[in-house]
Amino acid sequence: MVIMVTMRPYHVLFLLLCVSASEDFDWTKNERTSFYYGTFPSGFSWGAGSSAYQTEGAWNIDGKGMSIWDAFARKKGKILSNDTGDFSCEGYKKVKDDVNLMKDMKLNHYRFSVSWPRILPTGLRREQINEKGIKYYDDLIEMLLENKITPVVTLYHWDLPQALQEKYGGWQNVSMVNHFHDFADLCFERFGNRVKYWVTFNNPWSIAVEGYETGEHAPGQRLKGSGAYRAAHHIIKAHAKVWHLYDTQWRNKQKGLVGVSLTADWGEPVDVSNQKDIEAAERYIQFSLGWFATPIFNGDYPQVMKDYIGRKSGQQGLGASRLPVFTSQERNYIRGTCDFLGLGHFTTRYVTQKNYPSSAGDSFFSDRDLAELVDPQWPDPGSEWLYAVPWGFRRLLNFVKLQYGNPMIYVTENGVSEKMLCTDLCDDWRIQYYKEYVNEMLKAVKDGVNVRGYTAWSLLDNFEWDEGYSERFGLYYVDFRNKNKPRYPKASAQYYKRIISSNGFPNQREVENWKRKSAETCYSSNQLLAAGQSFAPHWPV
C-alpha cells in the first residue's frame, strides 16, 4: 500500500575527470538483501558535516556582512517560531570544543562551509576583505589538521551576501558567476595550501527550487516555472568557472580536488512492470540529480527535461522553452568539470505517472508529470518528508555508477532528524538509520560503486532552515536554551564512532554489542543534561 504525499519543495588524491559513459539502469532488478557483515576498503574516509549559517551564529560579529538568510529569517512567519540563526550553535566561538568532539569520534574528515559574507561583507572582493573572518577559518583549518582531521570545504551552502541579492537579484542574474569566481579565488588563495577537497555548491536543487520557485527558503522569491531554471543555469555556469579557475591556476600548486554536492532522493516505480511508471521514476531523478549532474558530466541538460519543459512551454504559448539553453561553447566548457561527485541522500519516494495540463500553469513540479507516494509502513521519526528507506540508497548509488561512468563519489550528507520536543538522547531510531543506510552503502561498494567516503549529517543539532530549531539531525544534542549552547553526545554518536573504528561491520556479535555500549553513553548524557552540566569527551577507544 502507498499513500500520496505533498511534494517536498525544496551536508590518496588523484585527478578523475567527470566524464560519462552511461549504461542503462535495470529498473526491474531490486535486490533487498539481508544485512551484510564486512568492512570498507582501506583508506575509506569517515566524517560529519555542518554549514556556516546553521552552526556559526555570530551573525554580525567581527565585520561579517548580512546574508540572504540573515535577512529572510527576520521576516515574520518565514521560519517556524520566527527562529533565526543569529546565535545557533555559537560555533564561531566554540571551535576548540567542537574539534575535540570530532577528535574523540576519530573522524577522518570534517565538512564545513565558508560564509561568503563573513570574509567579503559586501560580496565583492574589490570592495572589502574581512581579515577577521579569514582568521576564523584559518584557525579552524589549522586546528583540524593538528588533530589529523581533513577539512572538506564547501564554498556555497546557501548564504549569499544580502548586498548581492539587493544589487543584482542574486542567482537570477548572470553576474553572480563572476562574483562567485572572485570569492572562490580568494578562498583558494588563502586556504588552498591546506585544503585539498573543495565543494562548489551544496544541493543546488534547493537553492533553485526553494529559493526561487516556492519561496520557502531565502531569498524567498516565487518565480514559478522560470526562476528555478534560471538560477540553476547560472549556478552550473558558476560551478564550471570555478572548476576551471582551480584547474588552470591552482591545481599544480595545491594538488587538490574540486567537486559539487548534489542531493537526491531515490525514485522507485510504483509498478516496475509498467513502462510509464519506470519513465516517471527516471524523470523524477533527472529533474533533481540529473538537472545538475548531466550538464557537469555530459555538457547539457537531460534530454527528458528539455523535451518536457519545451513541450509545456509551447503549449503555454511561449516563444521559447522556460529551460535556458547552453551554447555549444558553454556545453564544451561545462562538460567534465568535477574531480569527484558529492552525493547527499536522505530518503526515497515511489513514483507514478500523472499528467498535468498546461492550464495548471507554470511550475517546476507540474513540468515533471508525475506523482510522489510513500509506503505508510516506512519509519518517519522526524521531518515530514524524511522516511527511512535504506534500500533506496544502494539503488541511487548504482544508478549514478551506470549513468555517469562510475565517478569517484563522496557521500556528503546522510542522516535523520527528530522533533525538538524529544530530549531523550538514546536515539535508537537514528542508530537504526545509520546502521542500515551505511550497510546499503557497503553493499553498493561491493557492487563496484566507487564510493570513497561518507559524511554523517550532522555533527551537531543546528538551525534547520525554515523549520528553525524544531528538527534535530545532530549526533550531538545542543541545548539551545542555554546561552553557552552546551553539546551532549547522543547514543548515535557512540554508535557511529564504532562504525568508524571498525571501518564497517566486522561481525554480527561485535555489531550487536555496539548498541549496548551506545546506550551507556546516552544514559550519562541524559543525566548531565538534566543537571545542566557540561559534557567533556572521555569515551573509551
Side-chain angles (χ1 to χ4, degrees):
M1 175 184 178
V2 292
I3 58 174
M4 185 77 72
V5 294
T6 303
M7 294 179 191
R8 176 166 47 142
Y10 299 36
H11 137 187
V12 175
L13 300 182
F14 65 93
L15 179 62
L16 180 67
L17 296 181
C18 293
V19 289
S20 172
S22 65
E23 301 176 37
D24 289 334
F25 182 79
D26 186 353
W27 291 92
T28 64
K29 183 181 178 183
N30 187 357
E31 291 184 83
R32 302 184 191 178
T33 57
S34 59
F35 195 86
Y36 175 70
Y37 291 95
T39 56
F40 287 83
S42 176
F44 192 88
S45 186
W46 299 96
S50 71
S51 82
Y53 187 76
Q54 291 179 279
T55 60
E56 286 179 4
W59 75 282
N60 62 350
I61 288 176
D62 289 342
K64 177 185 171 293
M66 182 172 275
S67 76
I68 55 173
W69 273 94
D70 291 317
F72 186 72
R74 277 167 170 68
K75 297 178 181 178
K76 297 296 182 184
K78 296 297 184 182
I79 311 298
L80 192 66
S81 302
N82 292 314
D83 288 332
T84 73
D86 287 1
F87 303 100
S88 189
C89 306
E90 294 283 20
Y92 187 77
K93 301 176 181 178
K94 298 176 77 72
V95 172
K96 185 176 181 180
D97 291 347
D98 289 340
V99 173
N100 281 337
L101 298 181
M102 302 174 213
K103 179 183 178 182
D104 189 77
M105 289 184 70
K106 302 191 183 303
L107 296 187
N108 304 128
H109 70 265
Y110 175 56
R111 181 181 173 222
F112 65 93
S113 71
V114 174
S115 168
W116 188 344
R118 191 174 294 286
I119 66 172
L120 295 176
T122 67
L124 301 178
R125 182 174 183 175
R126 66 176 181 266
E127 291 185 355
Q128 181 189 359
I129 296 174
N130 180 24
E131 293 296 339
K132 289 184 177 179
I134 296 281
K135 184 179 185 303
Y136 164 69
Y137 294 110
D138 267 334
D139 292 345
L140 172 56
I141 291 166
E142 285 297 330
M143 196 167 295
L144 289 170
L145 292 174
E146 287 170 5
N147 289 281
K148 297 181 172 53
I149 300 168
T150 299
V152 177
V153 178
T154 303
L155 292 169
Y156 190 87
H157 203 129
W158 305 0
D159 48 351
L160 184 76
Q162 176 65 11
L164 297 184
Q165 182 65 39
E166 293 176 357
K167 188 173 183 179
Y168 300 103
W171 290 107
Q172 292 299 294
N173 192 314
V174 71
S175 68
M176 289 302 104
V177 175
N178 288 331
H179 298 320
F180 184 66
H181 167 278
D182 294 345
F183 162 62
D185 191 43
L186 177 62
C187 291
F188 296 153
E189 176 187 314
R190 297 299 190 93
F191 311 129
N193 61 327
R194 292 154 294 160
V195 174
K196 305 306 175 186
Y197 292 88
W198 297 94
V199 175
T200 54
F201 289 90
N202 179 78
N203 191 4
W205 187 97
S206 274
I207 301 168
V209 174
E210 295 179 312
Y212 295 95
E213 167 89 14
T214 69
E216 293 188 287
H217 280 186
Q221 297 188 358
R222 298 180 179 179
L223 309 172
K224 290 194 173 181
S226 61
Y229 298 133
R230 191 179 303 113
H233 201 67
H234 297 151
I235 287 168
I236 292 166
K237 289 182 177 182
H239 161 82
K241 187 161 188 173
V242 166
W243 185 90
H244 281 287
L245 165 70
Y246 192 83
D247 193 51
T248 57
Q249 297 186 31
W250 295 105
R251 190 184 302 280
N252 286 339
K253 304 173 188 175
Q254 299 179 352
K255 312 298 182 186
L257 301 177
V258 177
V260 66
S261 177
L262 306 180
T263 299
D265 301 341
W266 177 246
E268 183 73 9
V270 168
D271 180 358
V272 294
S273 66
N274 184 326
Q275 186 61 28
K276 292 288 187 182
D277 280 0
I278 290 175
E279 292 171 1
E282 178 151 11
R283 204 159 56 246
Y284 176 79
I285 297 168
Q286 296 295 353
F287 267 76
S288 54
L289 176 70
W291 186 5
F292 300 93
T294 305
I296 289 170
F297 282 89
N298 297 338
D300 204 356
Y301 293 118
Q303 189 62 44
V304 70
M305 288 190 73
K306 294 193 288 185
D307 290 346
Y308 269 67
I309 300 166
R311 175 171 52 80
K312 290 195 178 245
S313 298
Q315 291 171 350
Q316 292 156 355
L318 302 178
S321 175
R322 287 179 280 106
L323 182 69
V325 176
F326 291 117
T327 66
S328 175
Q329 184 179 7
E330 287 171 339
R331 289 196 296 272
N332 289 331
Y333 187 75
I334 291 165
R335 183 184 297 116
T337 53
C338 69
D339 306 324
F340 65 89
L341 176 64
L343 190 63
H345 174 74
F346 294 91
T347 193
T348 285
R349 292 289 184 270
Y350 280 120
V351 182
T352 190
Q353 171 78 21
K354 180 179 180 180
N355 293 324
Y356 287 86
S358 57
S359 59
D362 299 352
S363 165
F364 165 84
F365 296 102
S366 61
D367 281 343
R368 305 178 304 170
D369 274 352
L370 58 84
E372 302 174 37
L373 307 98
V374 300
D375 187 328
Q377 296 183 359
W378 289 345
D380 59 335
S383 306
E384 62 181 3
W385 55 268
L386 205 170
Y387 294 78
V389 193
W391 53 262
F393 194 18
R394 183 184 184 185
R395 296 276 275 167
L396 177 65
L397 289 167
N398 274 280
F399 180 88
V400 170
K401 172 192 172 186
L402 294 174
Q403 188 80 5
Y404 302 115
N406 203 16
M408 180 162 59
I409 296 171
Y410 284 88
V411 175
T412 41
E413 290 186 351
N414 179 243
V416 68
S417 60
E418 80 264 12
K419 290 297 185 181
M420 181 180 64
L421 294 178
C422 177
T423 55
D424 183 359
L425 306 187
C426 300
D427 52 346
D428 290 345
W429 63 91
R430 185 173 286 106
I431 287 175
Q432 193 66 20
Y433 182 98
Y434 278 123
K435 177 183 177 183
E436 293 180 349
Y437 270 76
V438 171
N439 197 250
E440 291 298 314
M441 178 175 65
L442 178 60
K443 293 175 187 177
V445 170
K446 188 183 176 188
D447 295 336
V449 182
N450 190 16
V451 185
R452 298 299 188 89
Y454 174 86
T455 309
W457 186 266
S458 53
L459 179 69
L460 306 173
D461 290 336
N462 54 40
F463 180 85
E464 280 301 327
W465 310 114
D466 56 315
E467 297 296 334
Y469 297 101
S470 69
E471 295 178 4
R472 294 174 175 268
F473 278 83
L475 294 162
Y476 286 85
Y477 178 92
V478 178
D479 185 358
F480 294 110
R481 300 164 299 180
N482 187 319
K483 67 178 182 178
N484 294 321
K485 307 297 189 293
R487 289 87 156 107
Y488 302 90
K490 302 174 188 178
S492 55
Q494 175 73 319
Y495 194 88
Y496 184 47
K497 180 181 179 180
R498 298 288 174 181
I499 293 176
I500 294 171
S501 63
S502 300
N503 198 33
F505 306 95
N507 59 71
Q508 183 173 358
R509 181 177 179 181
E510 186 171 342
V511 171
E512 289 177 351
N513 196 37
W514 291 351
K515 191 170 183 179
R516 180 184 60 80
K517 292 181 178 179
S518 299
E520 294 172 359
T521 296
C522 75
Y523 294 145
S524 298
S525 295
N526 277 330
Q527 290 175 337
L528 289 172
L529 178 60
Q533 298 175 9
S534 298
F535 164 79
H538 57 271
W539 295 338
V541 175

